[in-house]
Amino acid sequence: MQPWTFDLINHTDQPAAYVWRQTLARLSLPEATLLPTMNTEHRFDLRQNTVGRVIQVVTPLGIEITRLTGSPQRIAGRYSAQTDGVWLALLLSEEGPAGAPAAILESGGKSWPFSAGSIACGSLATDAVLTLPRFFSMLYVRLPRLALHFRLLAPTPLRVGVLDPSPGIRQVLAGFLQSLGGSLEAMDVRQLRAIELSLSELLIGCVLSDPAYGGGDRPFNRRIAAMHSLCQLIESELTDPDLTMTAVARKHGISPRSLQKLFASTGQNFSQYLRQRRLARCHDDLASPHSAHLSISEICFRWGFNDAAHFSRSFRYTYEMTPREWRRYSLDKATEE
């Protein structure tokens, strides 16, 4: 799997500002306004060693992880084609005098200083302005609703703001993102699957532990915590073909009726969720070279399905490909890359 890369220095046939805006649109970011700089060696002009580089990888669930290196600019608004979900940003490096904020994040009449090590975050559907007055390197992570669906199963309570990397779960998340930003070129599909799980766990941990972002004892957040714990339990039991709602409720310490109400609050039911998680696991294994020695039926039964024909119909309905077509497409693509 090869990451997508872009460098403005290779596009001298069009104005830099136009090309960069087109690049941000591909990254589902709003338009950028280029800011003047006193450093003529890095002026945002193709004739003056333009700084505008991108490397991006996309996980199997559609999480976009992008490292941006650029000249001073202001990224403002909300990309018109944006879907619901969450974004995270972490400055990997910054230039400028010590103590001065490397960037400013603004939304809803509020503003936050944004320095290296701090995590900016918010809902994809909310307007925000990020001003980067100096040369920077930044990790930007876009988590669409679909990527969070199986782990959170509720609208995220995240508002636009900045999380300082104080000791605890936020510091762990900041360190995780910092390491991720330096390792994008080395990621393969299997590693990205582990990144998906770790990122969602850390994000939910930050949401539930921070009062400014929805933590505390409010009923909504207690429901998210309960769903998160319940999803973890189901994930560990996916291989059991006899897994039932009653059994999960008993292991979770709640009544089947309470479990039904939790799923109903997310617009799903237990059976739908269990089937989708099993399909997602099969989808990953069929695409992985590490599972190429297993037959489709073996993968199907491995993740708790007990009827190969039913599995094949469900897979095709969900992914618009048969299991065999998906395996052939994925393995051929991996070979080409």
Short mmCIF file of all heavy atoms in Angstrom, two decimals, residues 26-81:
data_model
loop_
_atom_site.label_atom_id
_atom_site.label_comp_id
_atom_site.label_asym_id
_atom_site.label_seq_id
_atom_site.Cartn_x
_atom_site.Cartn_y
_atom_site.Cartn_z
N ARG A 26 -9.23 18.01 -2.01
CA ARG A 26 -9.06 16.55 -2.05
C ARG A 26 -8.96 15.99 -0.64
O ARG A 26 -9.39 14.86 -0.38
CB ARG A 26 -7.82 16.19 -2.86
CG ARG A 26 -7.48 14.71 -2.77
CD ARG A 26 -6.43 14.28 -3.76
NE ARG A 26 -6.16 12.85 -3.60
CZ ARG A 26 -5.67 12.08 -4.54
NH1 ARG A 26 -5.39 12.58 -5.73
NH2 ARG A 26 -5.44 10.80 -4.33
N LEU A 27 -8.42 16.76 0.28
CA LEU A 27 -8.27 16.32 1.67
C LEU A 27 -9.51 16.64 2.51
O LEU A 27 -9.51 16.46 3.72
CB LEU A 27 -7.06 17.01 2.30
CG LEU A 27 -5.72 16.79 1.62
CD1 LEU A 27 -4.63 17.61 2.28
CD2 LEU A 27 -5.36 15.31 1.62
N SER A 28 -10.59 17.12 1.86
CA SER A 28 -11.83 17.50 2.55
C SER A 28 -11.60 18.60 3.57
O SER A 28 -12.22 18.64 4.63
CB SER A 28 -12.46 16.27 3.24
OG SER A 28 -12.80 15.28 2.30
N LEU A 29 -10.70 19.51 3.23
CA LEU A 29 -10.45 20.70 4.05
C LEU A 29 -11.00 21.92 3.32
O LEU A 29 -11.01 21.96 2.09
CB LEU A 29 -8.96 20.88 4.30
CG LEU A 29 -8.33 20.00 5.38
CD1 LEU A 29 -6.81 20.01 5.26
CD2 LEU A 29 -8.75 20.45 6.76
N PRO A 30 -11.44 22.95 4.07
CA PRO A 30 -11.91 24.17 3.41
C PRO A 30 -10.75 24.92 2.78
O PRO A 30 -9.59 24.53 2.90
CB PRO A 30 -12.55 24.96 4.55
CG PRO A 30 -11.89 24.44 5.79
CD PRO A 30 -11.59 23.00 5.53
N GLU A 31 -11.07 26.00 2.13
CA GLU A 31 -10.04 26.75 1.40
C GLU A 31 -9.04 27.41 2.32
O GLU A 31 -9.35 27.78 3.45
CB GLU A 31 -10.70 27.80 0.51
CG GLU A 31 -11.45 27.22 -0.67
CD GLU A 31 -11.84 28.27 -1.68
OE1 GLU A 31 -11.48 29.44 -1.47
OE2 GLU A 31 -12.50 27.93 -2.67
N ALA A 32 -7.84 27.58 1.81
CA ALA A 32 -6.78 28.26 2.55
C ALA A 32 -6.48 29.61 1.91
O ALA A 32 -6.50 29.76 0.69
CB ALA A 32 -5.52 27.42 2.57
N THR A 33 -6.23 30.60 2.76
CA THR A 33 -5.74 31.90 2.32
C THR A 33 -4.28 31.99 2.68
O THR A 33 -3.90 31.83 3.85
CB THR A 33 -6.51 33.04 3.02
OG1 THR A 33 -7.90 32.91 2.73
CG2 THR A 33 -6.00 34.40 2.55
N LEU A 34 -3.43 32.20 1.70
CA LEU A 34 -2.00 32.25 1.96
C LEU A 34 -1.64 33.56 2.62
O LEU A 34 -2.09 34.63 2.22
CB LEU A 34 -1.24 32.08 0.64
CG LEU A 34 -1.68 30.87 -0.20
CD1 LEU A 34 -0.82 30.76 -1.45
CD2 LEU A 34 -1.62 29.59 0.61
N LEU A 35 -0.80 33.48 3.64
CA LEU A 35 -0.42 34.66 4.42
C LEU A 35 0.97 35.11 4.04
O LEU A 35 1.83 34.30 3.69
CB LEU A 35 -0.46 34.34 5.92
CG LEU A 35 -1.81 33.85 6.46
CD1 LEU A 35 -1.68 33.51 7.94
CD2 LEU A 35 -2.89 34.90 6.25
N PRO A 36 1.23 36.42 4.11
CA PRO A 36 2.58 36.92 3.80
C PRO A 36 3.58 36.47 4.85
O PRO A 36 3.23 36.22 6.00
CB PRO A 36 2.40 38.45 3.82
CG PRO A 36 1.24 38.67 4.72
CD PRO A 36 0.32 37.51 4.49
N THR A 37 4.82 36.35 4.45
CA THR A 37 5.88 35.96 5.38
C THR A 37 7.09 36.84 5.14
O THR A 37 7.34 37.29 4.03
CB THR A 37 6.26 34.49 5.19
OG1 THR A 37 7.40 34.20 6.00
CG2 THR A 37 6.61 34.18 3.75
N MET A 38 7.84 37.06 6.20
CA MET A 38 9.04 37.88 6.08
C MET A 38 10.23 37.06 5.57
O MET A 38 11.25 37.60 5.19
CB MET A 38 9.39 38.48 7.45
CG MET A 38 8.31 39.39 8.02
SD MET A 38 7.92 40.78 6.92
CE MET A 38 9.47 41.67 7.00
N ASN A 39 10.11 35.76 5.56
CA ASN A 39 11.21 34.90 5.15
C ASN A 39 11.11 34.65 3.65
O ASN A 39 10.36 33.80 3.20
CB ASN A 39 11.15 33.58 5.90
CG ASN A 39 12.38 32.72 5.66
OD1 ASN A 39 13.09 32.91 4.69
ND2 ASN A 39 12.62 31.78 6.57
N THR A 40 11.86 35.37 2.88
CA THR A 40 11.73 35.29 1.43
C THR A 40 12.22 33.95 0.88
O THR A 40 11.88 33.58 -0.24
CB THR A 40 12.53 36.42 0.76
OG1 THR A 40 13.90 36.34 1.18
CG2 THR A 40 11.96 37.76 1.12
N GLU A 41 13.02 33.20 1.67
CA GLU A 41 13.48 31.91 1.18
C GLU A 41 12.34 30.91 1.07
O GLU A 41 12.43 29.94 0.35
CB GLU A 41 14.57 31.36 2.10
CG GLU A 41 15.87 32.15 2.04
CD GLU A 41 16.94 31.50 2.89
OE1 GLU A 41 16.64 30.44 3.50
OE2 GLU A 41 18.05 32.04 2.96
N HIS A 42 11.25 31.13 1.85
CA HIS A 42 10.14 30.18 1.86
C HIS A 42 8.83 30.83 1.45
O HIS A 42 7.77 30.31 1.76
CB HIS A 42 9.99 29.57 3.26
CG HIS A 42 11.19 28.81 3.71
ND1 HIS A 42 11.55 27.60 3.17
CD2 HIS A 42 12.12 29.10 4.65
CE1 HIS A 42 12.65 27.15 3.77
NE2 HIS A 42 13.01 28.04 4.66
N ARG A 43 8.89 31.97 0.79
CA ARG A 43 7.67 32.64 0.39
C ARG A 43 6.78 31.70 -0.43
O ARG A 43 7.27 30.90 -1.21
CB ARG A 43 8.00 33.89 -0.45
CG ARG A 43 6.78 34.76 -0.71
CD ARG A 43 7.18 35.97 -1.54
NE ARG A 43 8.24 36.73 -0.92
CZ ARG A 43 8.07 37.59 0.08
NH1 ARG A 43 6.87 37.78 0.57
NH2 ARG A 43 9.09 38.24 0.60
N PHE A 44 5.44 31.82 -0.24
CA PHE A 44 4.53 30.92 -0.94
C PHE A 44 4.46 31.34 -2.41
O PHE A 44 3.48 31.87 -2.89
CB PHE A 44 3.14 30.98 -0.30
CG PHE A 44 2.49 29.65 -0.21
CD1 PHE A 44 2.37 29.00 1.01
CD2 PHE A 44 2.00 29.01 -1.34
CE1 PHE A 44 1.77 27.76 1.10
CE2 PHE A 44 1.40 27.78 -1.26
CZ PHE A 44 1.29 27.15 -0.04
N ASP A 45 5.53 31.11 -3.08
CA ASP A 45 5.67 31.45 -4.49
C ASP A 45 6.52 30.35 -5.11
O ASP A 45 7.58 30.01 -4.59
CB ASP A 45 6.35 32.82 -4.63
CG ASP A 45 6.42 33.28 -6.08
OD1 ASP A 45 6.67 32.43 -6.95
OD2 ASP A 45 6.22 34.47 -6.31
N LEU A 46 6.07 29.79 -6.19
CA LEU A 46 6.79 28.68 -6.78
C LEU A 46 8.22 29.03 -7.15
O LEU A 46 9.07 28.16 -7.25
CB LEU A 46 6.04 28.17 -8.01
CG LEU A 46 4.73 27.43 -7.71
CD1 LEU A 46 4.01 27.10 -9.02
CD2 LEU A 46 5.00 26.15 -6.94
N ARG A 47 8.52 30.29 -7.30
CA ARG A 47 9.88 30.69 -7.67
C ARG A 47 10.75 30.86 -6.43
O ARG A 47 11.93 31.13 -6.53
CB ARG A 47 9.83 32.00 -8.46
CG ARG A 47 9.16 31.84 -9.82
CD ARG A 47 8.86 33.18 -10.43
NE ARG A 47 7.93 33.95 -9.62
CZ ARG A 47 7.54 35.19 -9.92
NH1 ARG A 47 8.01 35.78 -11.01
NH2 ARG A 47 6.68 35.83 -9.15
N GLN A 48 10.17 30.72 -5.23
CA GLN A 48 10.91 30.95 -4.00
C GLN A 48 10.81 29.74 -3.06
O GLN A 48 10.46 29.85 -1.89
CB GLN A 48 10.38 32.21 -3.29
CG GLN A 48 10.56 33.49 -4.08
CD GLN A 48 12.03 33.89 -4.13
OE1 GLN A 48 12.83 33.45 -3.33
NE2 GLN A 48 12.37 34.73 -5.10
N ASN A 49 11.12 28.53 -3.58
CA ASN A 49 11.13 27.32 -2.76
C ASN A 49 9.84 27.14 -1.97
O ASN A 49 9.81 27.15 -0.75
CB ASN A 49 12.32 27.36 -1.79
CG ASN A 49 13.65 27.41 -2.51
OD1 ASN A 49 13.82 26.76 -3.54
ND2 ASN A 49 14.57 28.19 -2.00
N THR A 50 8.76 26.98 -2.67
CA THR A 50 7.45 26.81 -2.07
C THR A 50 7.43 25.70 -1.03
O THR A 50 8.00 24.64 -1.23
CB THR A 50 6.43 26.44 -3.16
OG1 THR A 50 6.38 27.50 -4.10
CG2 THR A 50 5.05 26.22 -2.57
N VAL A 51 6.74 25.96 0.08
CA VAL A 51 6.52 24.92 1.08
C VAL A 51 5.05 24.54 1.02
O VAL A 51 4.17 25.31 1.39
CB VAL A 51 6.89 25.41 2.50
CG1 VAL A 51 6.62 24.32 3.52
CG2 VAL A 51 8.35 25.84 2.55
N GLY A 52 4.76 23.37 0.51
CA GLY A 52 3.40 22.87 0.42
C GLY A 52 3.44 21.39 0.09
O GLY A 52 3.39 21.01 -1.07
N ARG A 53 3.59 20.56 1.13
CA ARG A 53 3.75 19.12 0.92
C ARG A 53 2.69 18.35 1.69
O ARG A 53 2.27 18.74 2.77
CB ARG A 53 5.14 18.67 1.35
CG ARG A 53 6.26 19.23 0.48
CD ARG A 53 7.60 18.62 0.84
NE ARG A 53 8.04 18.99 2.18
CZ ARG A 53 8.72 20.09 2.45
NH1 ARG A 53 9.02 20.95 1.48
NH2 ARG A 53 9.10 20.36 3.68
N VAL A 54 2.30 17.20 1.12
CA VAL A 54 1.26 16.36 1.72
C VAL A 54 1.66 14.90 1.59
O VAL A 54 2.19 14.48 0.57
CB VAL A 54 -0.10 16.55 1.00
CG1 VAL A 54 -1.13 15.55 1.53
CG2 VAL A 54 -0.60 17.97 1.15
N ILE A 55 1.41 14.14 2.65
CA ILE A 55 1.44 12.68 2.56
C ILE A 55 0.22 12.18 3.30
O ILE A 55 -0.07 12.62 4.42
CB ILE A 55 2.75 12.08 3.14
CG1 ILE A 55 2.68 10.55 3.08
CG2 ILE A 55 3.01 12.55 4.56
CD1 ILE A 55 4.01 9.88 3.35
N GLN A 56 -0.54 11.28 2.66
CA GLN A 56 -1.80 10.82 3.24
C GLN A 56 -1.96 9.31 3.07
O GLN A 56 -1.64 8.75 2.03
CB GLN A 56 -3.00 11.51 2.59
CG GLN A 56 -4.35 11.11 3.19
CD GLN A 56 -5.52 11.66 2.41
OE1 GLN A 56 -5.78 11.25 1.28
NE2 GLN A 56 -6.23 12.60 3.01
N VAL A 57 -2.47 8.68 4.13
CA VAL A 57 -2.89 7.28 4.04
C VAL A 57 -4.35 7.21 4.49
O VAL A 57 -4.82 8.04 5.28
CB VAL A 57 -2.02 6.35 4.93
CG1 VAL A 57 -0.59 6.34 4.46
CG2 VAL A 57 -2.11 6.74 6.40
N VAL A 58 -5.07 6.23 3.96
CA VAL A 58 -6.48 6.03 4.30
C VAL A 58 -6.64 4.61 4.84
O VAL A 58 -6.23 3.65 4.19
CB VAL A 58 -7.39 6.25 3.09
CG1 VAL A 58 -8.85 6.07 3.48
CG2 VAL A 58 -7.17 7.63 2.49
N THR A 59 -7.22 4.48 6.01
CA THR A 59 -7.38 3.17 6.64
C THR A 59 -8.54 2.41 5.99
O THR A 59 -9.34 3.00 5.27
CB THR A 59 -7.64 3.31 8.15
OG1 THR A 59 -9.01 3.73 8.36
CG2 THR A 59 -6.69 4.31 8.79
N PRO A 60 -8.66 1.11 6.27
CA PRO A 60 -9.76 0.34 5.69
C PRO A 60 -11.14 0.90 6.02
O PRO A 60 -12.08 0.75 5.23
CB PRO A 60 -9.57 -1.06 6.30
CG PRO A 60 -8.10 -1.16 6.52
CD PRO A 60 -7.69 0.23 6.94
N LEU A 61 -11.31 1.54 7.18
CA LEU A 61 -12.60 2.11 7.55
C LEU A 61 -12.79 3.54 7.04
O LEU A 61 -13.81 4.17 7.32
CB LEU A 61 -12.77 2.09 9.07
CG LEU A 61 -13.10 0.74 9.71
CD1 LEU A 61 -13.27 0.89 11.22
CD2 LEU A 61 -14.37 0.14 9.11
N GLY A 62 -11.82 4.06 6.30
CA GLY A 62 -11.97 5.38 5.71
C GLY A 62 -11.44 6.52 6.55
O GLY A 62 -11.72 7.69 6.26
N ILE A 63 -10.66 6.24 7.59
CA ILE A 63 -10.02 7.30 8.37
C ILE A 63 -8.86 7.86 7.54
O ILE A 63 -7.99 7.11 7.11
CB ILE A 63 -9.51 6.79 9.71
CG1 ILE A 63 -10.67 6.26 10.56
CG2 ILE A 63 -8.76 7.88 10.47
CD1 ILE A 63 -10.24 5.62 11.87
N GLU A 64 -8.88 9.16 7.31
CA GLU A 64 -7.83 9.81 6.53
C GLU A 64 -6.80 10.41 7.47
O GLU A 64 -7.12 11.23 8.32
CB GLU A 64 -8.43 10.90 5.64
CG GLU A 64 -9.43 10.35 4.63
CD GLU A 64 -10.17 11.43 3.88
OE1 GLU A 64 -9.84 12.62 4.09
OE2 GLU A 64 -11.06 11.11 3.08
N ILE A 65 -5.54 10.00 7.31
CA ILE A 65 -4.44 10.47 8.16
C ILE A 65 -3.46 11.20 7.27
O ILE A 65 -2.87 10.61 6.36
CB ILE A 65 -3.77 9.29 8.88
CG1 ILE A 65 -4.80 8.45 9.65
CG2 ILE A 65 -2.69 9.79 9.84
CD1 ILE A 65 -4.26 7.15 10.19
N THR A 66 -3.29 12.49 7.51
CA THR A 66 -2.54 13.34 6.59
C THR A 66 -1.50 14.16 7.33
O THR A 66 -1.78 14.75 8.37
CB THR A 66 -3.48 14.32 5.87
OG1 THR A 66 -4.56 13.59 5.26
CG2 THR A 66 -2.75 15.11 4.81
N ARG A 67 -0.30 14.20 6.78
CA ARG A 67 0.73 15.10 7.30
C ARG A 67 0.89 16.25 6.31
O ARG A 67 1.18 16.03 5.13
CB ARG A 67 2.06 14.36 7.48
CG ARG A 67 3.12 15.24 8.19
CD ARG A 67 4.38 14.43 8.48
NE ARG A 67 5.10 14.09 7.27
CZ ARG A 67 5.57 12.88 6.98
NH1 ARG A 67 5.36 11.87 7.79
NH2 ARG A 67 6.24 12.67 5.86
N LEU A 68 0.64 17.44 6.81
CA LEU A 68 0.73 18.65 6.00
C LEU A 68 1.96 19.46 6.42
O LEU A 68 2.18 19.69 7.61
CB LEU A 68 -0.51 19.53 6.20
CG LEU A 68 -1.84 19.07 5.63
CD1 LEU A 68 -2.96 19.88 6.24
CD2 LEU A 68 -1.84 19.21 4.12
N THR A 69 2.73 19.90 5.45
CA THR A 69 3.84 20.82 5.71
C THR A 69 3.61 22.03 4.82
O THR A 69 3.45 21.88 3.60
CB THR A 69 5.19 20.16 5.38
OG1 THR A 69 5.33 18.96 6.15
CG2 THR A 69 6.34 21.10 5.70
N GLY A 70 3.57 23.20 5.41
CA GLY A 70 3.21 24.35 4.59
C GLY A 70 3.75 25.67 5.07
O GLY A 70 4.29 25.82 6.17
N SER A 71 3.59 26.65 4.20
CA SER A 71 3.91 28.04 4.50
C SER A 71 2.76 28.65 5.29
O SER A 71 1.69 28.05 5.42
CB SER A 71 4.12 28.80 3.19
OG SER A 71 5.20 28.27 2.46
N PRO A 72 2.94 29.87 5.83
CA PRO A 72 1.86 30.53 6.59
C PRO A 72 0.56 30.59 5.79
O PRO A 72 0.56 30.93 4.61
CB PRO A 72 2.43 31.93 6.84
CG PRO A 72 3.90 31.73 6.88
CD PRO A 72 4.18 30.69 5.83
N GLN A 73 -0.54 30.27 6.46
CA GLN A 73 -1.84 30.26 5.79
C GLN A 73 -2.97 30.24 6.82
O GLN A 73 -2.75 29.99 8.00
CB GLN A 73 -1.96 29.06 4.86
CG GLN A 73 -1.79 27.71 5.55
CD GLN A 73 -1.63 26.59 4.53
OE1 GLN A 73 -2.62 26.06 4.03
NE2 GLN A 73 -0.38 26.25 4.22
N ARG A 74 -4.16 30.51 6.32
CA ARG A 74 -5.36 30.44 7.15
C ARG A 74 -6.35 29.47 6.49
O ARG A 74 -6.74 29.68 5.34
CB ARG A 74 -5.99 31.81 7.32
CG ARG A 74 -7.26 31.81 8.18
CD ARG A 74 -7.83 33.21 8.37
NE ARG A 74 -6.95 34.03 9.19
CZ ARG A 74 -6.26 35.08 8.75
NH1 ARG A 74 -6.34 35.43 7.48
NH2 ARG A 74 -5.48 35.77 9.56
N ILE A 75 -6.70 28.43 7.20
CA ILE A 75 -7.67 27.45 6.70
C ILE A 75 -8.99 27.73 7.39
O ILE A 75 -9.09 27.65 8.62
CB ILE A 75 -7.20 26.01 7.00
CG1 ILE A 75 -5.82 25.76 6.37
CG2 ILE A 75 -8.20 24.99 6.49
CD1 ILE A 75 -5.20 24.42 6.73
N ALA A 76 -10.00 28.10 6.61
CA ALA A 76 -11.23 28.62 7.21
C ALA A 76 -12.47 28.02 6.57
O ALA A 76 -12.47 27.68 5.39
CB ALA A 76 -11.28 30.15 7.09
N GLY A 77 -13.54 27.92 7.38
CA GLY A 77 -14.83 27.51 6.88
C GLY A 77 -15.10 26.04 7.11
O GLY A 77 -14.60 25.41 8.03
N ARG A 78 -15.90 25.48 6.24
CA ARG A 78 -16.26 24.07 6.31
C ARG A 78 -16.38 23.57 4.89
O ARG A 78 -17.07 24.15 4.07
CB ARG A 78 -17.59 23.88 7.05
CG ARG A 78 -18.07 22.44 7.12
CD ARG A 78 -19.26 22.33 8.07
NE ARG A 78 -20.39 23.14 7.64
CZ ARG A 78 -21.35 22.70 6.81
NH1 ARG A 78 -21.30 21.48 6.33
NH2 ARG A 78 -22.34 23.48 6.46
N TYR A 79 -15.68 22.50 4.58
CA TYR A 79 -15.71 21.97 3.23
C TYR A 79 -17.14 21.58 2.86
O TYR A 79 -17.81 20.87 3.60
CB TYR A 79 -14.77 20.77 3.12
CG TYR A 79 -14.66 20.19 1.73
CD1 TYR A 79 -14.21 20.99 0.68
CD2 TYR A 79 -14.99 18.87 1.47
CE1 TYR A 79 -14.11 20.46 -0.60
CE2 TYR A 79 -14.89 18.34 0.19
CZ TYR A 79 -14.44 19.15 -0.84
OH TYR A 79 -14.35 18.63 -2.11
N SER A 80 -17.62 22.04 1.71
CA SER A 80 -19.04 21.91 1.37
C SER A 80 -19.49 20.46 1.25
O SER A 80 -20.65 20.14 1.50
CB SER A 80 -19.33 22.64 0.06
OG SER A 80 -18.53 22.12 -1.00
N ALA A 81 -18.58 19.56 0.88
CA ALA A 81 -18.95 18.15 0.71
C ALA A 81 -18.71 17.34 1.98
O ALA A 81 -18.78 16.12 1.97
CB ALA A 81 -18.16 17.54 -0.44
#
